Amino acid sequence: MSEETNVSASPAQPNAAMIPLPSAGEEEGMTKAEKSVYLASQWTLIIRRFRKHKLAVWSLGVVVLLYLMAIFCEFLAPYDLSRRFNQYIYQQPQTIRFVRDGRITWPFVYGFKAEVDRATFRRIYTVDTSKVYPIKLFVKGDPYEMWGLWPMDRHLWGVEGEDATAFLLGTDRLGRDSLSRIIHGSRISLSVGLIGLAISFVLGLTIGGASGYIGGVLDEGIQRLIEVLRSFPSLPLWMALAAAMPPRWPPLQVYFGITVVLSLIGWTGLARAVRGKLLALREEDYVMAARISGAGATHIIARHLLPGFMSYIIVSLTLSIPGMILGETSLSFLGLGLRAPVTSWGVLLAEAQNASIVALYPWLLIPGIPVVITVLAFNFMGDGLRDAADPYGR
Amino acid sequence: MKVNLNRRDFLRATAMAALSVAAASCAQPAAEPAAEPTTAAAQPTTAPAQPTAAPAQPTAAPQATFKEAPALAELVKAGKLPPVDERLPENPFVVTPVDGIGKYGGELTMLIAPASDTKLSRVYGGSRMVSWDITLTQLLPDMCEKFEINEGRDFVFYFRKGLKWSDGTPFTTEDCRYYWEDMANNVEISPNGVPSWLMSGGEAPTVEISDAYTIRFTWPKVNKVFMDNLSGSMGYDFWKPAHYMKQFHVKYADKAALDKAVKDGGHQDWMALHGANDRYYNQDIPDYPTFMPWVPTFKPPQEKYTFVRNPYFYKVDTEGNQLPYLDNLVFITTDVKLIPLKCTTGDADVQQRSLSFSDITLLKDNEKQGNYETRLWSSDWATAMRILPNYCAQDKVMADLFLDKRFRIALSLGIDRAEMNDVAYLGYGVPQQIELLPGVPGYNEAWAQAYAKYDPTEANRLLDEMGLTQRDAEGYRLRPDGKTLDLLIDDAGENPVYVDLIELLTSTYKGIGIKVLYKFSDRTTYRARMSSGEATMGLWGSELGLTYATGGVIASGLFWTEGNNDGNNCWGIWHATKGTDGVEPPASFKKAQELVEQWKLTPEGPESDKIRDEIRAINAEEVYQIGTVGGAPSPIVVKNTMRNIPKEGFALWSRGGYVYWTMPCQWWKE
Amino acid sequence: MASYIARRLIIMIPTVLIISFISFGIIVLPPGDYLESLVASLEAQGERADQDYIAFLRRSYGLDQPFIVQYWRWFSNMFRGDFGYSFEFRREVSDLIGERMLLTVVISITTILLTTAIAWPIALFSATHKYSFFDYVATFFGFIGVSTPSFLIALVFMFLMGRYFGVSAGGLFSPQYMDAAWSWARVKDLLAHLWVPLFILATGSTAGSIRTIRANMLDELGKPYVITARAKGLTELKVILKYPFRVALNPFFSSVGWMLPGIISGSTILSTVLSLPTAGPLLLRALQTQDMYLAGSFIFLQTILTVIGTLLSDLALAWSDPRVRYGKAGS
């Protein structure tokens, strides 16, 4: 093993940001602004740096909006999840228009005329300019119960009238509004799986941390355990788990169960990476310094080592979120994941997984877009957090 | 998807169906009132009138000699193959081509999903002891020259002299004897006795071989399934290539060689070796002798399976050309989801398997690009989705509700079948109960439409009359025990259309105050839950709307006389055990069970039909099971270069084997 | 070092034993066996399974034996080079796996190479030009790659190829070369088809690699030793490649060991959608039909590779990051 090289090049200096309290003498000579920097706790500094990162702040906004959407989906969606329009099956999206007869007006949509082409077995929709449906705010629509508590029938926006329709993202094979389904689907997509993710992370961090920091027999044992766990190929494991779930469980619960069990196995990747990082970091001088001054292991890990690989954790967390959303679709491909009538983005995408939809009704692929947006937002937010958490950052 | 679903009904079909000659003789594409008078009439040339009683082939060989494919002719010239006249039987099967005499050559490419689908070569290949004519109404002698049926229990087959296995060995009753004595009655190979497909009423047949070409099967009582077993898609065989199989049989093989083969192959004993080499059904061993038009050349698994022309194939066209016309049959494996997509790029010459109604638009849309035509064949679905109340449910409150006829009628009236038809089948299906499809002989509109009209008012009235007037906060009715009246519907998860149909059902049932819950599982779980009574309601399809006009077939699916997973398990058991086990069914059901038994023992004819109709009447009146929509057409992709494939036809498994009824051996390629 | 490797090799033995037992358990554990799944699939296709015949098969396949007997028969035979018998294909498991191995390895390795070749330079450039236009573009496309289900991409891609170029979907060969012997023409045909699955396979993994390496690079770039190296007057490229890049690959090496088993079963689902004649779809099929010796041997093979991969990964880690010193743990 090449042990000779570059020891000198290894970082040796504990950074100023790592030492929150400078000596009293320096404190006196500082300006107020300087004080606020040097006296701030590490987390205050992180927040402060994060706020400078415009894109990250915007992304945080998007993430918050996404979760608001998930929370208020009944109100935000123009239609109820199960509302069907039999005469508008596989209808292409209606466009919002602002100009009518050459004049700018309140936004509206045109209605569609439907007919069935008997030769090709296809439903054909043509714009009917005689039907004008202005888009209104706080319209009365399908009744629902907000959070299962308050009966309501107002929706943020929509069109009014007996046969007025506004399907901005088209409809599916049962004539259900695609946009409404995407909005409703966010609730499950953004929530289920987070717990599994949390379990994985806690396990990965603690076990990986212990393995890397304490080392010795413990490390050896944990490494073998990881090896054993990692050697289970995921496919048979999924199948065995799905078969082991109690048959009476509804699909949502089964999926949740699988996620939790998988997370009990899925921590290994993180644990190994954390251990790798720790093995490197614990040789640092500042760790040695902390140890000499009598700091306990927990303190050293949490205070001195954790910040050192925080960025890695954040990135792998942001990468896990698409994994979590996509994992759902992979499982449904095998017939093990969520399934209709449960509605999530994964279910919507799984339903779009056939040649007819790709070729004839491509708007049903749109649920892919919120997935991309969610992933991008989490990622940029993660970028910002990483920069902010990086003690070596500017 | 759709075509290979819910074939359990098919099982019942083979178990019960008989040779109803009169039955579906002019089956007509169901939902097309404007179609040509009848399918049968559209193909006048294909079914030369054959006397039913004494079926004999139209005398063969107008020519002195037969003609053969150029490739074979060369082999003959090279001395590697005997001349065609010697390869064909004395009296070959004469096929009347659908459109006209074809030309030799070319490959027929089809797509399959799992490797085990190589057996489709046998399904499509057609060679059976007896087979159906192209209208699927009349039974023809196929591998045999003629057959006789006496009293519906005595069957005699006269083989074609000179018919040969694909390796050139003559086919004789020795091959049958080997099967009957050395396999079916060998305690080591068949420890449980004669295979169940040969058993009728619990009794094995007497088999009598009078000479090398004549065999007789006799049962003590009527056997209504034997001929269907022989002629169906499965094509059961009571013969094996004895000359080939003997090398694996302890009675004939050299002990040392056999032991070595067992050991080399990693088998446990000689029976396992014998079983592994008996691939008549799967058609995946190159050396295995067969009668199919094309024989395998590969070891699975492969991406591409090539079957080559059988030089000893026993069928000729009306001009004496030995069939098949096509040189090779090729199966290409692909993911099942890609099959419609691959059809659009013209990757299949003919494809029906794995295509469903919902693919029609895509297929039609790409016809030019793929240079093919999407033909729509009539499907056999009496109803694509049956709703099965579980009368043996552990949930006693629900089981009692199901027993009330008013409740069943309300459940049926609460279904908007026309909406289901529009949404799922663009209006091409037939909204009806579990009955024959319109246009099929024996069709009875009153039965097919009994309680089939959407009438929520009447449904609500019936439910109110039953006293289910209490409602919960959401407006659903309450059961007698005060809980919300919800139907937990189990689905085996095989037919994707069910999700949509149930979605529609959920909203119309809401209108009659009944809540619908939906549970997905798989076939095994579904069945276990249905038969144990854990499930309160199930879903399954029902075939047999078209060709199997025999009411007993339909009845057997509705009124089981033994254990089952169709929602009347305990009633079936009660009947089978003569009341010692299970639960006593209501009087009308008991009556139907008795009629089913009676029907089984009545040879085909007016009397059998009369019993059939009595059963159908009970079904229509009592609505023990609820039908939805049937008869939606099924797509078949046919390349524009393919010839001799009927424009209209039947997409069905049990009797037609997808395309077997059109005789692929007479297809050819321009 | 040698003693370290030796020690690791010895520890591998019990690990493999435990894993083989559990893997076999996972396959046998779900209710039912191959024959039940055979019956179900026969019936799903409208065929009838003869119960007597099934009982006969169950006996002759030894499926009526207790779990431990089945396990031992399989495991002990494996050391004699006998991996058992595939129920579905009625052939030796070793033949089946062997047949598919060549194409499997070719595809996996090309995918890994392709991923690396694309991901590393982009990640480096992205990290050194943080928040530049290029970085954003790379990030954006990278994340579209990560966040769309790969089989959906595959489906759309195959559809477009079919519609606009008439290329038929799935597979690695044109029909005429599928069962042909290897020849120059067949290789050319393979190359003509190979890029489609490669493109789709690489889409997902490339983006993931870019993100991880970029993040690690950013961690390292600001560190004092980089400044030191710069101060020494090294060229920028040398500074980056010699120090931070090597360290940034650390987590990458931690997981490189997992690529080894991935060579066999990597992207199983995607390969199934793409109908590739590789090992993945065969494994999936074996699992679905509970063809247990085939599935078991596959998993066992994978296990061995995982264990070896872990060892290699540890060695690579030690090589790439001199701070990681083994044998001195816990000091």
Side-chain angles (χ1 to χ4, degrees):
Chain A
M1 201 192 296
S2 56
E3 288 182 30
E4 21 59 63
T5 49
N6 308 332
V7 179
S8 63
S10 294
Q13 308 306 317
N15 190 282
M18 292 300 301
I19 303 165
L21 287 176
S23 73
E26 282 169 356
E27 200 180 324
E28 278 164 17
M30 284 189 298
T31 66
K32 209 169 182 190
E34 277 169 339
K35 240 189 237 170
S36 75
V37 171
Y38 286 103
L39 294 179
S41 77
Q42 194 189 345
W43 290 106
T44 320
L45 287 173
I46 288 175
I47 291 165
R48 213 173 274 168
R49 270 199 298 251
F50 180 78
R51 274 165 46 186
K52 283 193 195 141
H53 198 309
K54 283 280 174 312
L55 193 61
V57 175
W58 278 106
S59 297
L60 177 67
V62 171
V63 169
V64 170
L65 283 179
L66 284 168
Y67 275 93
L68 283 176
M69 172 165 94
I71 292 168
F72 295 102
C73 63
E74 292 97 338
F75 174 66
L76 295 174
Y79 297 103
D80 188 63
L81 190 56
S82 56
R83 179 70 187 275
R84 291 177 290 104
F85 294 85
N86 288 344
Q87 66 276 40
Y88 298 112
I89 286 170
Y90 284 134
Q91 186 208 285
Q92 68 266 37
Q94 283 163 274
T95 357
I96 302 186
R97 292 163 201 269
F98 300 93
V99 180
R100 194 154 73 94
D101 304 331
R103 270 178 303 161
I104 292 180
T105 61
W106 183 252
F108 69 97
V109 292
Y110 283 127
F112 273 117
K113 207 164 62 209
E115 56 192 331
V116 174
D117 182 342
R118 292 278 153 194
T120 59
F121 278 60
R122 195 172 177 168
R123 294 177 170 90
I124 294 175
Y125 297 96
T126 40
V127 173
D128 182 352
T129 49
S130 67
K131 290 190 207 154
V132 175
Y133 306 131
I135 287 176
K136 293 190 179 147
L137 292 176
F138 303 105
V139 292
K140 244 186 159 130
D142 299 330
Y144 57 91
E145 277 183 11
M146 196 70 215
W147 302 328
L149 296 175
W150 301 287
M152 288 172 69
D153 60 0
R154 293 278 165 190
H155 294 257
L156 178 64
W157 66 277
V159 287
E160 275 177 333
E162 257 309 290
D163 38 45
T165 56
F167 307 125
L168 300 188
L169 298 182
T171 61
D172 70 358
R173 62 188 195 288
L174 291 179
R176 292 174 296 196
D177 178 35
S178 216
L179 176 63
S180 300
R181 287 173 68 71
I182 291 174
I183 295 176
H184 282 280
S186 64
R187 183 168 286 176
I188 285 172
S189 288
L190 294 175
S191 57
V192 170
L194 279 185
I195 298 202
L197 208 63
I199 298 177
S200 267
F201 263 79
V202 170
L203 287 176
L205 277 180
T206 47
I207 300 179
S211 173
Y213 185 78
I214 300 168
V217 181
L218 183 73
D219 180 35
E220 195 64 56
I222 289 173
Q223 288 311 302
R224 297 293 81 72
L225 177 69
I226 289 179
E227 221 167 86
V228 170
L229 286 176
R230 281 297 291 248
S231 307
F232 294 153
S234 46
L235 265 180
L237 202 63
W238 285 349
M239 293 174 143
L241 283 176
M245 292 292 154
R248 293 199 76 95
W249 282 13
L252 191 62
Q253 204 176 338
V254 169
Y255 179 71
F256 188 73
I258 294 178
T259 328
V260 168
V261 181
L262 283 185
S263 68
L264 292 177
I265 289 153
W267 53 269
T268 53
L270 184 74
R272 256 184 85 78
V274 166
R275 169 181 172 269
K277 276 272 184 188
L278 265 182
L279 281 180
L281 285 177
R282 67 169 188 186
E283 304 285 316
E284 301 277 355
D285 292 350
Y286 62 83
V287 177
M288 184 63 71
R291 204 176 295 153
I292 288 167
S293 45
T298 329
H299 177 83
I300 292 176
I301 293 179
R303 202 74 185 171
H304 302 291
L305 298 180
L306 202 61
F309 55 82
M310 191 67 125
S311 58
Y312 177 79
I313 295 168
I314 289 168
V315 171
S316 85
L317 193 74
T318 51
L319 270 175
S320 302
I321 285 171
M324 169 193 109
I325 296 171
L326 295 176
E328 185 201 306
T329 53
S330 290
L331 284 171
S332 63
F333 177 88
L334 294 171
L336 310 174
L338 288 173
R339 286 212 221 175
V342 177
T343 306
S344 72
W345 293 341
V347 169
L348 294 178
L349 281 176
E351 282 177 2
Q353 251 183 71
N354 77 59
S356 292
I357 287 188
V358 175
L360 303 167
Y361 322 113
W363 57 87
L364 292 174
L365 299 173
I366 291 176
I369 294 176
V371 178
V372 174
I373 291 178
T374 310
V375 171
L376 279 174
F378 270 105
N379 164 62
F380 287 130
M381 197 175 85
D383 265 5
L385 276 174
R386 191 210 39 243
D387 289 355
D390 181 5
Y392 298 104
R394 290 126 300 164
Chain B
M1 276 293 148
K2 184 172 146 250
V3 283
N4 57 19
L5 281 166
N6 304 341
R7 298 297 177 171
R8 190 172 31 163
D9 308 287
F10 146 77
L11 300 184
R12 257 172 254 133
T14 36
M16 296 289 290
L19 312 168
S20 155
V21 172
S25 59
C26 44
Q28 178 181 340
E32 290 250 50
E36 291 300 306
T38 62
T39 320
Q43 300 145 352
T45 51
T46 52
Q50 304 245 349
T52 325
Q57 278 300 298
T59 39
Q63 281 81 11
T65 51
F66 297 103
K67 284 167 274 176
E68 63 193 320
L72 295 183
E74 265 170 46
L75 285 174
V76 172
K77 217 183 259 170
K80 286 180 182 152
L81 206 63
V84 63
D85 292 9
E86 288 173 29
R87 301 199 309 264
L88 282 166
E90 285 173 19
N91 178 14
F93 184 104
V94 179
V95 176
T96 311
V98 169
D99 293 320
I101 303 295
K103 295 196 185 78
Y104 283 116
E107 269 187 356
L108 172 66
T109 306
M110 292 175 147
L111 307 171
I112 58 170
S116 53
D117 274 1
T118 50
K119 61 178 163 246
L120 289 175
S121 77
R122 190 172 111 78
V123 173
Y124 299 159
S127 309
R128 311 276 191 268
M129 186 53 68
V130 291
S131 64
W132 293 98
D133 77 334
I134 202 153
T135 59
L136 293 171
T137 54
Q138 199 174 335
L139 211 51
L140 304 176
D142 195 305
M143 282 166 56
C144 60
E145 202 167 79
K146 64 174 181 158
F147 62 84
E148 285 163 16
I149 306 172
N150 306 308
E151 301 164 12
R153 62 179 195 88
D154 176 45
F155 303 82
V156 192
F157 302 92
Y158 303 92
F159 296 171
R160 290 175 195 274
K161 290 197 178 84
L163 172 63
K164 294 182 182 68
W165 292 94
S166 55
D167 61 357
T169 314
F171 170 64
T172 64
T173 43
E174 164 61 10
D175 297 310
C176 308
R177 187 208 59 78
Y178 178 82
Y179 175 74
W180 180 246
E181 286 179 7
D182 295 329
M183 290 178 65
N185 285 300
N186 179 301
V187 285
E188 283 184 288
I189 288 184
S190 308
N192 301 333
V194 173
S196 50
W197 77 273
L198 279 170
M199 303 293 282
S200 176
E203 297 188 76
T206 320
V207 178
E208 189 189 317
I209 293 171
S210 33
D211 62 43
Y213 301 100
T214 315
I215 189 167
R216 168 179 236 125
F217 288 80
T218 314
W219 280 271
K221 288 186 189 139
V222 172
N223 185 344
K224 280 189 135 172
V225 299
F226 185 50
M227 289 307 245
D228 261 303
N229 276 338
L230 292 179
S231 63
S233 301
M234 294 273 286
Y236 279 96
D237 49 319
F238 54 73
W239 56 94
K240 294 284 170 189
H243 62 287
Y244 178 83
M245 292 312 298
K246 279 176 182 172
Q247 60 175 312
F248 307 113
H249 200 296
V250 73
K251 190 167 149 195
Y252 304 96
D254 172 52
K255 183 85 174 61
L258 191 65
D259 286 347
K260 189 174 177 306
V262 167
K263 200 159 165 282
D264 288 355
H267 299 287
Q268 212 168 28
D269 44 37
W270 73 268
M271 292 88 83
L273 174 74
H274 188 276
N277 281 288
D278 177 21
R279 305 301 283 166
Y280 189 82
Y281 188 61
N282 296 66
Q283 297 281 308
D284 57 5
I285 292 185
D287 308 331
Y288 192 93
T290 166
F291 295 110
M292 297 301 141
W294 298 278
V295 295
T297 59
F298 51 77
K299 276 186 178 173
Q302 301 277 336
E303 266 191 286
K304 178 188 180 185
Y305 297 94
T306 307
F307 299 79
V308 299
R309 175 195 296 286
N310 171 3
Y312 294 91
F313 191 57
Y314 61 97
K315 296 185 182 176
V316 296
D317 68 13
T318 43
E319 289 185 4
N321 297 303
Q322 190 194 16
L323 296 172
Y325 291 130
L326 291 154
D327 284 338
N328 298 331
L329 168 65
V330 171
F331 286 156
I332 301 220
T333 43
T334 193
D335 186 66
V336 70
K337 280 198 167 112
L338 291 189
I339 288 181
L341 193 59
K342 282 178 89 74
C343 285
T344 66
T345 46
D347 287 10
D349 288 320
V350 178
Q351 187 70 25
Q352 194 209 356
R353 186 146 163 119
S354 305
L355 296 179
S356 69
F357 185 88
S358 59
D359 297 319
I360 294 179
T361 316
L362 176 75
L363 294 172
K364 291 234 176 212
D365 207 45
N366 288 283
E367 282 181 342
K368 240 197 201 103
Q369 170 187 313
N371 189 31
Y372 62 85
E373 190 189 350
T374 315
R375 297 180 185 175
L376 299 177
W377 285 1
S378 314
S379 83
D380 196 19
W381 292 88
T383 185
M385 182 177 89
R386 257 187 303 159
I387 297 171
L388 309 170
N390 195 346
Y391 298 98
C392 311
Q394 288 170 5
D395 185 341
K396 283 286 162 260
V397 180
M398 286 315 291
D400 284 346
L401 284 176
F402 292 145
L403 271 180
D404 192 320
K405 187 173 153 190
R406 289 171 297 180
F407 191 71
R408 301 196 297 265
I409 293 173
L411 289 184
S412 182
L413 293 174
I415 303 172
D416 191 344
R417 293 177 179 79
E419 183 193 36
M420 287 183 171
N421 188 21
D422 280 344
V423 169
Y425 300 110
L426 267 166
Y428 281 88
V430 183
Q432 64 164 22
Q433 295 287 9
I434 309 157
E435 255 298 335
L436 299 180
L437 288 163
V440 175
Y443 173 73
N444 181 325
E445 195 182 345
W447 289 340
Q449 294 301 325
Y451 308 113
K453 224 166 189 68
Y454 179 48
D455 189 348
T457 324
E458 175 65 9
N460 272 317
R461 192 192 67 76
L462 287 169
L463 293 172
D464 289 343
E465 190 187 296
M466 285 173 68
L468 300 166
T469 44
Q470 303 273 52
R471 305 260 182 165
D472 71 0
E474 284 177 87
Y476 291 112
R477 293 170 191 277
L478 297 181
R479 319 197 303 187
D481 63 352
K483 289 191 202 151
T484 298
L485 179 51
D486 53 9
L487 292 172
L488 174 61
I489 303 184
D490 269 49
D491 178 7
E494 291 180 10
N495 191 338
V497 141
Y498 287 6
V499 185
D500 298 353
L501 295 183
I502 291 300
E503 181 87 33
L504 303 180
L505 190 72
T506 309
S507 56
T508 53
Y509 272 11
K510 194 174 179 182
I512 59 172
I514 295 175
K515 187 173 187 170
V516 173
L517 303 172
Y518 193 36
K519 178 175 168 44
F520 254 118
S521 53
D522 53 74
R523 182 181 281 252
T524 322
T525 315
Y526 170 84
R527 292 185 159 188
R529 283 172 55 83
M530 280 303 277
S531 54
S532 68
E534 272 178 273
T536 27
M537 193 169 243
L539 300 174
W540 209 261
S542 190
E543 266 192 310
L544 320 168
L546 201 59
T547 44
Y548 285 171
T550 41
V553 171
I554 295 169
S556 70
L558 302 172
F559 305 105
W560 279 93
T561 52
E562 53 190 77
N564 63 81
N565 30 56
D566 267 347
N568 51 51
N569 187 34
C570 52
W571 294 351
I573 291 174
W574 188 86
H575 181 92
T577 59
K578 304 198 164 54
T580 52
D581 199 0
V583 175
E584 185 176 356
S588 60
F589 198 94
K590 247 192 300 190
K591 176 93 198 311
Q593 285 176 321
E594 276 152 28
L595 285 168
V596 169
E597 295 285 17
Q598 208 181 325
W599 180 87
K600 281 186 192 165
L601 296 177
T602 313
E604 278 309 314
E607 204 195 327
S608 162
D609 289 354
K610 204 178 131 259
I611 303 172
R612 169 195 83 185
D613 287 350
E614 279 180 61
I615 300 169
R616 286 168 67 191
I618 295 177
N619 174 41
E621 185 43 45
E622 296 289 333
V623 220
Y624 280 111
Q625 298 185 355
I626 303 163
T628 52
V629 182
S634 164
I636 170 166
V637 163
V638 179
K639 267 281 187 63
N640 291 332
T641 50
M642 291 303 299
R643 296 288 176 268
N644 278 352
I645 302 175
K647 291 263 182 222
E648 286 171 10
F650 318 102
L652 36 86
W653 164 263
S654 358
R655 188 172 288 187
Y658 298 133
V659 294
Y660 139 56
W661 62 277
T662 72
M663 296 233 183
C665 63
Q666 53 91 46
W667 294 356
W668 61 285
K669 213 171 183 179
E670 193 81 68
Chain C
M1 194 68 221
S3 75
Y4 171 72
I5 297 176
R7 194 163 54 88
R8 287 291 302 266
L9 287 174
I10 292 168
I11 296 174
M12 266 160 76
I13 296 169
T15 315
V16 166
L17 274 171
I18 294 170
I19 298 172
S20 77
F21 188 77
I22 300 176
S23 321
F24 196 77
I26 288 182
I27 297 163
V28 182
L29 192 70
D33 55 24
Y34 168 70
L35 292 171
E36 277 175 31
S37 94
L38 175 75
V39 171
S41 81
L42 284 179
E43 290 181 352
Q45 292 166 8
E47 295 153 36
R48 178 164 54 182
D50 194 329
Q51 282 310 320
D52 304 336
Y53 182 60
I54 295 296
F56 163 74
L57 285 181
R58 174 159 288 124
R59 193 167 39 85
S60 71
Y61 287 164
L63 290 174
D64 51 351
Q65 307 275 329
F67 169 76
I68 197 79
V69 175
Q70 294 187 33
Y71 167 73
W72 180 247
R73 200 162 67 154
W74 169 71
F75 191 73
S76 56
N77 280 344
M78 217 151 41
F79 285 96
R80 285 184 268 123
D82 175 8
F83 286 85
Y85 182 74
S86 157
F87 301 144
E88 175 161 28
F89 303 110
R90 289 159 192 264
R91 293 179 56 195
E92 294 283 314
V93 166
S94 44
D95 288 357
L96 286 172
I97 297 182
E99 242 168 41
R100 297 209 160 201
M101 222 16 98
L102 175 67
L103 279 175
T104 309
V105 170
V106 166
I107 289 186
S108 301
I109 292 183
T110 13
T111 309
I112 292 172
L113 290 181
L114 188 71
T115 307
T116 313
I118 301 173
W120 287 15
I122 294 181
L124 260 181
F125 195 85
S126 269
T128 47
H129 300 73
K130 196 164 105 172
Y131 303 138
S132 66
F133 175 72
F134 177 86
D135 184 25
Y136 282 122
V137 171
T139 304
F140 186 73
F141 280 102
F143 267 88
I144 289 185
V146 186
S147 51
T148 354
S150 50
F151 31 92
L152 203 60
I153 296 188
L155 200 63
V156 171
F157 194 71
M158 284 190 289
F159 167 73
L160 294 176
M161 292 304 295
R163 164 140 306 179
Y164 297 105
F165 302 99
V167 177
S168 63
L172 277 183
F173 296 101
S174 313
Q176 68 265 35
Y177 290 110
M178 277 178 182
D179 51 0
W182 280 105
S183 66
W184 180 234
R186 192 173 189 228
V187 173
K188 273 204 290 200
D189 187 61
L190 172 65
L191 292 178
H193 285 81
L194 191 61
W195 66 274
V196 178
L198 276 189
F199 173 85
I200 295 165
L201 287 168
T203 318
S205 51
T206 306
S209 295
I210 293 180
R211 296 316 298 169
T212 319
I213 298 172
R214 176 179 174 275
N216 282 300
M217 275 299 287
L218 289 180
D219 270 2
E220 297 299 324
L221 275 179
K223 290 198 174 162
Y225 72 93
V226 179
I227 297 160
T228 317
R230 281 207 188 99
K232 269 164 62 183
L234 294 178
T235 61
E236 183 67 18
L237 191 68
K238 209 166 173 189
V239 168
I240 289 165
L241 287 186
K242 192 148 185 201
Y243 307 118
F245 184 55
R246 242 171 83 179
V247 180
L249 290 179
N250 180 338
F252 174 78
F253 282 116
S254 292
S255 60
V256 78
W258 312 122
M259 282 191 182
L260 212 51
I263 286 175
I264 296 188
S265 69
S267 4
T268 301
I269 295 176
L270 197 51
S271 310
T272 308
V273 177
L274 291 167
S275 312
L276 301 181
T278 54
L282 194 63
L283 170 63
L284 181 61
R285 175 84 193 154
L287 287 169
Q288 281 169 340
T289 56
Q290 293 187 284
D291 195 346
M292 63 181 186
Y293 295 123
L294 182 56
S297 303
F298 250 125
I299 292 171
F300 185 71
L301 205 62
Q302 236 178 319
T303 308
I304 301 269
L305 287 177
T306 309
V307 175
I308 296 173
T310 314
L311 179 61
L312 290 181
S313 169
D314 283 349
L315 295 179
L317 197 60
W319 167 81
S320 76
D321 191 338
R323 291 174 297 176
V324 181
R325 285 186 220 117
Y326 288 97
K328 294 189 181 179
S331 60

